[in-house]
Amino acid sequence: MPHSTRTAKGVLGGLAGLVGLSVVAGVLVTATVTPAIAVTGATASNAIGLFEALPSNLEVDRPMEPTTIYYYTADGVPVQLASFYDQNRVPVTYDGVAQVMYDAILSSEDKNFYKHGGVDLLGTTKALIDNLRGTSTRGGSSISQQYVKNVLLQECERGVSLQDEERTEKLEQCWLEASASVGPKGIQRKLQEMRFALQIEKEYSKNDILLGYLNLANFGGTTYGIEAAAQRYFSVSAANLSISQAAILAGMVQNPNSYRIDQPTGSMYDSETDSWYNSEEDGYAETLTRRNYVLERLLIDGKISQEQYDASYAEPITPVLSSPPSGCGDAGRNAYFCQYVKTTLENDPAFGATEEERRDNLLRGGLDIYTSLSPSIQQAGIDVMDNSFAASIEGMDFGAAGVTIEASTGRILGMVQNTVFSEEEALATTPGYSSLVYAADYDHGGSIGFPVGSTYKLFTLLDWLEKGKSLNERLDGKNRRFTKMSCDGTPVPFTSDVANAGRVGGYNGTPMQFTAESLNSGYFAMAEKLNLCDINRVADRMGVHLGNMSKVTDENVPFNVLGDKAIAPLEMASAYATVANKGITCTPRAIDRVIGPDGTDIPVPPPSCTQTISPEVAATAAYALEGVMNGGTGGSSRTGDGVPLIGKTGTHNDEQTMMITSSTYATTAVWVGQANGFLDLWDFDSYGNNLLNLRHELTPAMQRAANDIYGGDSFPGPAQKLLVRPMVDLPDVVGMSQADAVKRLEDAGFEVEVTDPYASDIAAGVIALQSPGPGQVYGGSTVYISPSSGKGATVPNVAGEKPADAVAKLQAAGFSSVSLGTCSPGSGGPDGSVTSSNPPAGTMTAKSTPIVLNYKKQTC
């Protein structure tokens, strides 16, 4: 077993043989390195000066390590989702490496490691002289010196930007400088290694240095460190390496890319024959030779027996390759959630002040990222996607996505998509493959959102309630030309007709009804009484932006009310979660915790939650949105588990469709449509189901899975003041023309019905009668108006007149049918006296109406 501390003899030997920290050491070093320096013509004093001028302390920075993304199971066990790296490295502890691996590396590279003080002085000096003479290319470096070399190489590589266009060339230069062995640069490098090797021997134990070397060393390509190498080449951990495997890896460090065994067609190039060798075909002959050398050194040093040597020597090189997880493509059906997390790490300033710093942290930072993904909600979405949603449909660019968030925090619990994730350029145009995250915006996966249809009506509803208007106010929601739309007082041109689903003509109704039935014309009737700019400002205030990252308030047109804006489903989920969360908007997020390579927590942004609408407005909006799920257009997405839900359907020109539901704890948004361009979804099916119906399969599945975890409470009751049907002034339109009367009443918000003409003595067509009459009535009431026929007259008062005179008077007034009726004996003289008429005096009636006169007379 290697020692954990050095012997005093080893330390003194290293000090005396290496460093000019004292006169004695200086003399020893001079005597040792002067012959080598002399070859270049340098003086001994110059050599010592060069040595003394080197930095005396080596800052041993952490190696570049992969960043790994995890999610937790329901039992709290972390599961790896994906890993990202510039150098694939899995650091291990000392006990995580098989003893035979330590033996193999020491026997082949530095058999006196536990005896010297950091530098094999004689070997280094001989190598310097031979290299300057050009008679050898051997390194002569101890493990400590090789560790120093690798640390310095790491520092050089870390300094090359991941975005540098000349990155490959600069990385190659780092390697050349770190490996310089001939001439003054070779001497400079060797002296530097010696100086630093001595320093780290003061600060670290032998075991730490040996382990550090194995964790840092390159083993070909992007494979770094012994654990990653064991997994890559043999699919085992470093703790379980066999003798032969350990010998292969120990031999590989001398020339990693030449001796690697993951290139079946060859890892070495012969320029004379223009061909590759050291391949699967020749049994990796060069690597085999190097392995056998290491086995021989192990046998000579007594680390393995003759029997072990013979058995290992007889083994062919048989790689058992494992591709290390790299990127979201390895996350399978969780890839789109993974991509959301990755792009967050790349774009959020919380994870680095600059793009370069964030990219460096992702690929080199060794971070452990713990996410919000809920496996049960995610799996529920995946199951429906796999069974009901095709990855592609001939004749269209089919897309679908579902996302569930925690309403009170914005944590993303599930994110699924119908396509297969791929960032390969060759698959970029292949149907069924995509790297775009349909559920998210451009900064979180490259998509630019989709028209969200009537789910955008939420913001008209909220603005309506914030203006103090009632859910039960009656409006003229008939399908008509809406000409009174305005933005901040400026009329907004609107000449298009409005269509309702199912070609419904609309009706006189309330916002409560319009919401449940998603009546387009009803919502335009509401918007006519509001400010279009304010409607979009509500969305903006709640954190909603367009999928291309522009503001929703950048353009204000009437069809915004019906959701013509392209917005990510996740943004809309957040808006509905606000209603469920008592008016508090929480920005969506996917990262719960970040742990640095040293095991300490790195601060992540806390939940960003803001009260964007009042609790009473949120509660009243929820009351209206419950109607969508209970008898309204969202009934097909009910979960059937008894958890109260709010929701909203949305369809844009039968080309894009959405469904959003929410309990008091979790919100789900689903989009199904044409990912690029415009096609009628009625023309396409997936597994026998029309595309417009698919939202009602995915939405309840993910919402039900969330309900199983969170449950759900009853939503708070609505504000009563926002339910009261308001009283308004009804104008008097009697005497107005029919056209003017109708306009006056409709402008005041009333529905108008014109009855048959009324017999009146005023001009024909002029309103002669209205019901109800002017005064205070319920807003939106139906007012009945009757135009004059022009053929009416008022029955004159003939009471007290002689019957003959009364008849003449009525006939003179235009009444053509006048007769005497009941005679009552009594006073009245011999000619009689009229007592009443039927119709009574003052009645407006048609001139053809029979008039009957009642009278009294002494003798009837």
Side-chain angles (χ1 to χ4, degrees), residues 469-790:
K469 296 180 178 295
S470 171
L471 286 179
N472 291 315
E473 180 175 337
R474 295 192 68 81
L475 303 169
D476 179 8
K478 293 190 295 294
N479 196 354
R480 52 190 169 84
R481 188 67 59 84
F482 295 88
T483 59
K484 300 174 185 176
M485 306 285 282
S486 65
C487 175
D488 293 342
T490 301
V492 179
F494 189 36
T495 57
S496 301
D497 291 329
V498 176
N500 288 312
R503 299 184 179 179
V504 173
Y507 49 83
N508 182 271
T510 67
M512 188 73 185
Q513 294 171 305
F514 300 156
T515 301
E517 299 177 13
S518 198
L519 189 71
N520 293 343
S521 55
Y523 260 80
F524 272 115
M526 294 165 64
E528 275 193 322
K529 293 178 172 290
L530 300 171
N531 179 346
L532 180 60
C533 287
D534 282 348
I535 292 172
N536 287 332
R537 287 180 186 126
V538 172
D540 181 69
R541 188 199 326 149
M542 295 171 71
V544 176
H545 56 263
L546 301 184
N548 64 7
M549 309 310 297
S550 299
K551 295 174 70 68
V552 294
T553 53
D554 285 349
E555 182 182 49
N556 301 278
V557 297
F559 274 104
N560 292 169
V561 174
L562 303 186
D564 64 339
K565 293 181 180 292
I567 300 170
L570 181 58
E571 296 294 307
M572 295 305 298
S574 178
Y576 279 80
T578 298
V579 175
N581 193 32
K582 301 178 182 178
I584 300 173
T585 299
C586 295
T587 303
R589 61 190 183 93
I591 298 174
D592 286 340
R593 185 184 184 194
V594 177
I595 299 179
D598 59 355
T600 61
D601 278 78
I602 296 175
V604 296
S608 176
C609 298
T610 307
Q611 188 87 46
T612 56
I613 58 176
S614 70
E616 67 177 13
V617 165
T620 309
Y623 177 69
L625 294 170
E626 282 187 286
V628 175
M629 304 304 295
N630 301 321
T633 58
S636 296
S637 281
R638 290 169 61 94
T639 54
D641 55 11
V643 174
L645 295 178
I646 62 174
K648 189 69 189 74
T649 52
T651 303
H652 179 73
N653 296 336
D654 290 338
E655 297 160 349
Q656 313 286 343
T657 182
M658 288 194 75
M659 183 71 220
I660 304 176
T661 58
S662 184
S663 69
T664 51
Y665 294 105
T667 307
T668 298
V670 167
W671 163 81
V672 180
Q674 171 77 350
N676 183 24
F678 302 97
L679 288 173
D680 192 333
L681 299 184
W682 284 113
D683 297 335
F684 298 91
D685 290 350
S686 174
Y687 297 111
N689 197 355
N690 185 264
L691 299 191
L692 285 166
N693 298 323
L694 288 179
R695 55 183 167 165
H696 297 306
E697 293 193 29
L698 181 58
T699 308
M702 295 185 73
Q703 185 68 53
R704 190 182 303 112
N707 294 348
D708 288 344
I709 298 172
Y710 292 91
D713 301 325
S714 296
F715 288 90
Q720 290 302 309
K721 66 179 181 180
L722 297 176
L723 299 181
V724 175
R725 188 175 176 186
M727 300 289 287
V728 296
D729 288 327
L730 174 62
D732 185 356
V733 296
V734 172
M736 299 175 66
S737 69
Q738 179 176 317
D740 289 344
V742 170
K743 184 176 186 304
R744 175 75 182 279
L745 290 170
E746 288 183 342
D747 285 348
F750 295 97
E751 184 175 11
V752 181
E753 287 196 19
V754 180
T755 64
D756 293 337
Y758 177 69
S760 171
D761 56 0
I762 62 178
V766 175
I767 300 303
L769 188 69
Q770 78 174 64
S771 177
Q776 284 281 302
V777 298
Y778 286 118
S781 296
T782 300
V783 180
Y784 300 88
I785 57 174
S786 303
S788 171
S789 66

Side-chain angles (χ1 to χ4, degrees), residues 323-348:
S323 297
S326 176
C328 290
D330 290 307
R333 298 296 276 148
N334 300 319
Y336 293 100
F337 175 81
C338 170
Q339 188 74 347
Y340 183 93
V341 176
K342 175 196 171 190
T343 51
T344 298
L345 294 170
E346 291 176 326
N347 296 319
D348 193 332

Side-chain angles (χ1 to χ4, degrees), residues 173-185:
Q173 186 61 34
C174 285
W175 174 258
L176 291 175
E177 291 180 1
S179 305
S181 59
V182 179
K185 284 190 175 180

Side-chain angles (χ1 to χ4, degrees), residues 421-442:
F421 181 83
S422 176
E423 293 182 292
E424 296 182 27
E425 292 186 12
L427 296 175
T429 59
T430 301
Y433 290 84
S434 179
S435 64
L436 301 180
V437 182
Y438 292 155
D441 57 28
Y442 184 82

Side-chain angles (χ1 to χ4, degrees), residues 222-250:
T222 59
T223 303
Y224 286 78
I226 190 60
E227 178 66 17
Q231 293 179 14
R232 170 60 179 153
Y233 295 115
F234 304 113
S235 298
V236 300
S237 69
N240 296 318
L241 287 167
S242 69
I243 295 173
S244 177
Q245 291 167 345
I248 291 171
L249 296 181

Side-chain angles (χ1 to χ4, degrees), residues 830-846:
D831 296 326
S833 174
V834 173
T835 56
S836 64
S837 64
N838 186 22
T843 300
M844 177 67 69
T845 186

